[in-house]
Amino acid sequence: MQASFVFMHSPCVGPSTWAPVAEVVRRSGTTAVVPDLTRVGSGPAPHWPAVVAAVRAAAPADGPLVLVAHSNAGLFVPVVKEALGGRVVACVFAESRVPPRGGLTEIAEEPFLPFLRALAGPDDILPPWTGWWGDEEVAAFLPDAAMRRRVEADQPRLPLSYFTQRVPVPAGWENVPCAFVWYGEPYDGDAREAKDRGWPVSRVPGRHLHQVVDPEAVGAELLEVVNSSLFPRRRAPEASPM
């Protein structure tokens, strides 16, 4: 049975950041879903159980699954995989943080927290993600005006506690094939880590939201990675000489 793709967007943005790639994958004849993770920060911390619940609710009811995570959504892959059990047959990290092999991990690394605290209001709620950067920086990520409007329309406002929560990393989560697809800095370090772990690593040059800018290229690369690198088709045996 062919595996369905489950696209996990960063909770800093919304499903619109994966929707175009999901459509590319569907046109190939593969089932693809994009769980909505925009409300995972609305309840009390820790917020990772809400991520798990949202992905479980949106995943197809039957059959094998390939998890594809972008940005900090990659840090939730181990707990999502554990919740979905043996149905997860592969994990692909697309311009994503690579989780440790076990223990606990925080969503935001310590040097980034002062920047986030300075952005937060008195209620410790952050502005939408595109509000963190200058207009020129956002335009570099999202050069098309219509594209930018779609992304800005569904991005949430997250609490500071989302970034300080500690997410469990179940040991042995890497017992299925994993791969890394990256666009460029600052994820070159994660690409090196993935390569050191023996994962297939490939690059589609672009900025952090390149899957919105060029969904055809990113979708084609993800299909190639899964179908050729993680699950290569076995060659038919050659006929015996007569």
Side-chain angles (χ1 to χ4, degrees):
M1 181 183 295
Q2 187 179 45
S4 301
F5 280 49
V6 179
F7 287 97
M8 297 169 56
H9 67 83
S10 165
C12 296
V13 284
S16 62
T17 56
W18 268 134
V21 173
E23 183 55 34
V24 171
V25 170
R26 291 186 195 108
R27 290 204 307 266
S28 77
T30 300
T31 300
V33 298
V34 186
D36 187 344
L37 306 181
T38 56
R39 292 182 289 276
V40 301
S42 60
H47 305 285
W48 63 264
V51 174
V52 172
V55 176
R56 289 185 69 175
D62 300 303
L65 305 172
V66 174
L67 301 180
V68 185
H70 175 248
S71 194
N72 66 68
L75 298 178
F76 300 110
V77 165
V79 285
V80 170
K81 176 182 174 294
E82 182 179 55
L84 293 171
R87 295 185 61 202
V88 177
V89 295
C91 303
V92 182
F93 297 83
E95 185 83 349
S96 167
R97 298 277 303 281
V98 173
R101 289 191 162 97
L104 293 168
T105 188
E106 291 182 349
I107 298 299
E109 297 172 317
E110 191 63 36
F112 195 55
L113 288 177
F115 171 77
L116 294 175
R117 291 189 176 106
L119 287 173
D123 55 359
D124 281 341
I125 301 297
L126 293 155
W129 181 77
T130 53
W132 300 5
W133 322 105
D135 189 67
E136 289 186 2
E137 290 177 277
V138 176
F141 288 123
L142 300 166
D144 179 80
M147 174 196 310
R148 177 170 175 173
R149 286 193 296 272
R150 286 194 298 271
V151 170
E152 290 184 329
D154 67 357
Q155 59 184 346
R157 296 187 62 192
L158 290 171
L160 193 60
S161 60
Y162 169 83
F163 295 95
T164 58
Q165 68 178 313
R166 306 186 78 189
V167 182
V169 184
W173 70 268
E174 292 178 278
N175 63 353
V176 296
C178 297
F180 192 88
V181 176
W182 63 303
Y183 311 146
E185 294 182 352
Y187 286 85
D188 44 357
D190 290 281
R192 287 193 297 270
E193 172 64 22
K195 187 174 182 179
D196 289 345
R197 296 190 191 188
W199 301 356
V201 175
S202 59
R203 186 179 180 193
V204 181
R207 303 295 293 267
H208 187 50
L209 290 175
H210 194 60
Q211 75 268 26
V212 183
V213 176
D214 193 351
E216 296 288 342
V218 173
E221 183 62 28
L222 291 172
L223 286 167
E224 174 69 15
V225 164
V226 172
N227 294 329
S228 297
S229 297
L230 297 185
F231 300 111
R233 295 178 181 177
R234 294 181 180 178
R235 294 179 59 186
E238 295 182 2
S240 300
M242 297 295 289

